[in-house]
Amino acid sequence: MVNESLNQEKSDDNPAPESAFPTDTSYSTHPSDSFHPSVSGHPSVSIHPSVSIDPSVSVHPSSSAPPSTFAQPSALTHPSSSGPQSSVIKVSKRRWAVVLVFSCYSLCNAFQWIQYGSINNIFMTFYGVSAFAIDWLSMCYMLVYIPLLLPVAWMLEKFGLRTIAITGSALNCLGAWVKLGSLEPHLFPVTVVGQVICSVAQVFILGMPSRIASVWFGADEVSTACSVAVFGNQLGIAIGFLVPPVLVPNIKDQEKLAYHISIMFYIVGGVATVLFILVIIVFKEKPKYPPSRAQSLSYAMASTDASYLSSIVRLFKNLNFVLLVITYGLNAGAFYALSTLLNRMVILHFPGEEVNAGRIGLTIVIAGMFGAMISGIWLDKSKTYKQTTLVVYIMTLVGMVVYTFTLNLNRLWVVFITAGTLGFFMTGYLPLGFEFAVELTYPESEGMSSGLLNVSAQVFGIIFTISQGQIIDNYGTKPGNIFLCVFLALGSALTAFIKADLRRQRANKDVPETKVQEEEESNISKAPTVVSEARL
């Protein structure tokens, strides 16, 4: 499948000669070829097709002057916006291979996040540590993300998608193999080291979905693509709830327990290794042609000396984005806390039901994946970012309230239904937040806006997990869940104040688009278009 995808990409990136600008830069210009002196390169002078050209200029369809022939100030031209590629809007067939491979290694990393929490009581017994220590194996993912966001965001802009993808998948693979050295009860510190390495890997993963969607997908596909990218992470959490209780049964014999844990660790290490190899083969920095008008304009406006501190300042001056950062953090933080503590809550009400606790977690995430996909498709069709986000947020609050007051009914099937309803909206909200942030902050870096959303999620996730865990231990599950309901109500109220300032949508509508031409045109007629785009 990968080879087929790569072959398709080669043909996709080489359209017919008559439908694109020539890419050969080795132009030869006769000494007598010159533009009339009246044609000035000053920025205020616009070159129109009606401008007359001195008779000494020899114009031939096969040797037209490249964009660089026009005398323009270097300050107006950026390497990424000059040249033939910026004048063509075309989606690449490789885009689906890229997003699927990313989705898979994101899945593997998310599995490793929740694999301890989903059988919290079993790892407590094996390593002889407290429940709080096992909780930290999940919370270290949240803690590590906060200080590493800015360095990784800088690396994303400096070195690009391919480098970040390879680094993230390599760290994920390394962490999985390190854990194999922790198969003795006294080796808990080794499993902590492996988990910390995996948590560093997720810093290179969480901010990627919206960036991959913008760089590789057309304007009518970005929300769906972002949902697919987030889908992998959620599927990993779902498998993390389902598989560990099956592979690692709750038995007393330490040697047999270590054997079952080793099976799980070997499987994860093997999968992570295969995915690392696929990332090296499949990932490219970006497609040959920009997939949308907004992305083409983003290339043109790119600045090599962009200051990340100034970018952050601009983002935090954007009131709508600041409100979204807070509301996203409240929702995602509640999801992190609920996922981490789910096993403990279910076992309190249904002792000995570790497998069903995992299945309930699976139900939450699977329902959320459907919610995410439906939300992404709906956004691509309707572009109603504010309305969709608000409705999903309110329904998340309703689902959390219903789940809170039905958990103690001692009806396991009721918990499955209420948890699934909650997951449909709570997990389905995550890609909505990413895409809404890109709309509110365009043309700022997607990696930076997504990163700040994730920092907020990690901060609230740590606060909620510790606080709710203490409330559950001292007062029970209902007060702990009411604690989350209060903050989700606050998030719903703040979401109502966010204005739908859809900047990326305006760029897609307002910027003139030059698609791949179906009919052969003379190169001289295309030159003004290139000048116009370079000046943008």
Side-chain angles (χ1 to χ4, degrees):
M1 178 181 290
V2 173
N3 290 334
E4 181 182 351
S5 176
L6 295 177
N7 292 334
Q8 289 177 336
E9 171 65 10
K10 290 179 181 178
S11 63
D12 179 65
D13 284 346
N14 294 280
E18 68 271 18
S19 61
F21 295 111
T23 58
D24 183 16
T25 58
S26 58
Y27 299 93
S28 61
T29 307
H30 192 276
S32 64
D33 292 352
S34 61
F35 288 97
H36 194 278
S38 63
V39 179
S40 171
H42 193 277
S44 62
V45 178
S46 60
I47 301 177
H48 191 275
S50 62
V51 174
S52 61
I53 301 176
D54 192 273
S56 62
V57 177
S58 174
V59 180
H60 190 276
S62 63
S63 60
S64 62
S68 59
T69 303
F70 293 92
Q72 292 189 14
S74 60
L76 292 178
T77 307
H78 187 275
S80 64
S81 62
S82 63
Q85 287 88 341
S86 62
S87 61
V88 177
I89 305 299
K90 185 173 175 61
V91 293
S92 168
K93 293 179 181 178
R94 183 189 286 261
R95 68 193 188 280
W96 292 112
V98 169
V99 76
L100 288 176
V101 169
F102 167 79
S103 190
C104 287
Y105 79 81
S106 177
L107 177 156
C108 184
N109 184 260
F111 176 90
Q112 297 193 75
W113 168 60
I114 203 63
Q115 67 179 351
Y116 295 99
S118 62
I119 48 175
N120 182 294
N121 57 320
I122 296 176
F123 277 108
M124 283 171 54
T125 302
F126 181 74
Y127 289 116
V129 296
S130 66
F132 189 64
I134 300 299
D135 288 345
W136 269 109
L137 291 175
S138 295
M139 287 191 291
C140 72
Y141 263 61
M142 309 173 203
L143 186 63
V144 166
Y145 189 91
I146 298 169
L148 292 184
L149 164 66
L150 289 181
V152 173
W154 176 82
M155 289 178 64
L156 178 60
E157 296 302 318
K158 180 72 174 179
F159 302 106
L161 279 176
R162 177 175 167 81
T163 300
I164 296 300
I166 291 175
T167 304
S169 58
L171 288 171
N172 183 63
C173 180
L174 176 62
W177 287 109
V178 167
K179 292 176 187 178
L180 278 165
S182 65
L183 297 175
E184 296 288 339
H186 65 282
L187 294 176
F188 181 70
V190 177
T191 209
V192 171
V193 172
Q195 190 73 343
V196 169
I197 294 174
C198 292
S199 67
V200 175
Q202 63 106 31
V203 184
F204 291 83
I205 295 173
L206 286 186
M208 295 269 281
S210 56
R211 180 61 173 263
I212 290 175
S214 295
V215 170
W216 283 91
F217 288 82
D220 57 345
E221 299 174 326
V222 287
S223 297
T224 302
C226 186
S227 297
V228 171
V230 175
F231 181 93
N233 191 272
Q234 302 308 309
L235 183 58
I237 298 173
I239 297 174
F241 277 118
L242 177 66
V243 173
V246 175
L247 292 180
V248 186
N250 190 1
I251 55 180
K252 301 290 185 181
D253 191 319
Q254 291 287 77
E255 290 187 4
K256 290 184 178 179
L257 189 56
Y259 169 74
H260 289 291
I261 293 174
S262 71
I263 291 176
M264 179 171 69
F265 285 169
Y266 271 114
I267 292 174
V268 175
V271 170
T273 303
V274 171
L275 291 172
F276 173 55
I277 295 171
L278 283 176
V279 168
I280 295 175
I281 296 173
V282 173
F283 253 82
K284 284 180 63 178
E285 175 56 34
K286 62 182 179 181
K288 186 174 183 179
Y289 302 106
S292 67
R293 287 177 278 180
Q295 191 64 22
S296 178
L297 181 59
S298 179
Y299 291 161
M301 292 190 298
S303 174
T304 55
D305 58 351
S307 168
Y308 289 92
L309 289 178
S310 63
S311 177
I312 293 173
V313 169
R314 287 194 299 272
L315 288 174
F316 278 105
K317 285 182 178 180
N318 185 334
L319 179 60
N320 294 317
F321 177 68
V322 171
L323 288 174
L324 182 62
V325 166
I326 296 172
T327 57
Y328 184 91
L330 292 172
N331 190 301
F335 171 71
Y336 291 158
L338 185 67
S339 300
T340 302
L341 302 172
L342 182 65
N343 174 269
R344 196 188 307 182
M345 285 190 283
V346 173
I347 295 300
L348 283 175
H349 290 280
F350 306 94
E353 294 286 356
E354 290 88 1
V355 173
N356 275 321
R359 289 171 179 168
I360 291 171
L362 174 69
T363 302
I364 290 175
V365 181
I366 291 293
M369 289 190 295
F370 282 107
M373 292 300 298
I374 292 172
S375 298
I377 295 171
W378 170 254
L379 285 184
D380 281 332
K381 299 295 183 183
S382 68
K383 309 300 182 187
T384 54
Y385 289 85
K386 162 68 180 293
Q387 298 90 326
T388 304
T389 302
L390 182 58
V391 169
V392 170
Y393 213 120
I394 292 173
M395 293 307 298
T396 298
L397 172 61
V398 172
M400 189 69 206
V401 171
V402 174
Y403 170 80
T404 299
F405 290 96
T406 57
L407 186 59
N408 59 354
L409 295 179
N410 294 323
R411 296 287 188 274
L412 201 57
W413 64 270
V414 174
V415 178
F416 272 95
I417 294 174
T418 57
T421 304
L422 171 62
F424 181 86
F425 295 105
M426 178 177 275
T427 313
Y429 170 83
L430 301 182
L432 287 179
F434 281 140
E435 282 301 291
F436 199 10
V438 174
E439 292 292 338
L440 294 176
T441 61
Y442 178 86
E444 301 292 346
S445 166
E446 298 91 346
M448 185 63 72
S449 62
S450 299
L452 290 174
L453 289 184
N454 284 320
V455 165
S456 177
Q458 313 308 324
V459 170
F460 282 113
I462 293 172
I463 294 172
F464 290 169
T465 301
I466 295 175
S467 302
Q468 190 186 17
Q470 293 298 313
I471 293 173
I472 289 173
D473 290 341
N474 295 310
Y475 302 103
T477 57
K478 182 178 289 187
N481 287 326
I482 290 175
F483 168 80
L484 294 183
C485 290
V486 171
F487 284 98
L488 288 175
L490 175 62
S492 299
L494 292 177
T495 300
F497 289 98
I498 300 176
K499 294 182 180 179
D501 182 17
L502 306 183
R503 300 178 181 184
R504 184 174 63 179
Q505 293 303 315
R506 287 203 300 272
N508 277 323
K509 291 178 181 178
D510 297 342
V511 179
E513 178 179 2
T514 305
K515 293 187 176 180
V516 177
Q517 301 296 315
E518 297 297 334
E519 299 178 0
E520 182 175 4
E521 299 176 359
S522 65
N523 290 324
I524 191 63
S525 67
K526 296 177 184 176
T529 304
V530 177
V531 174
S532 176
E533 289 197 357
R535 294 189 176 193
L536 279 176

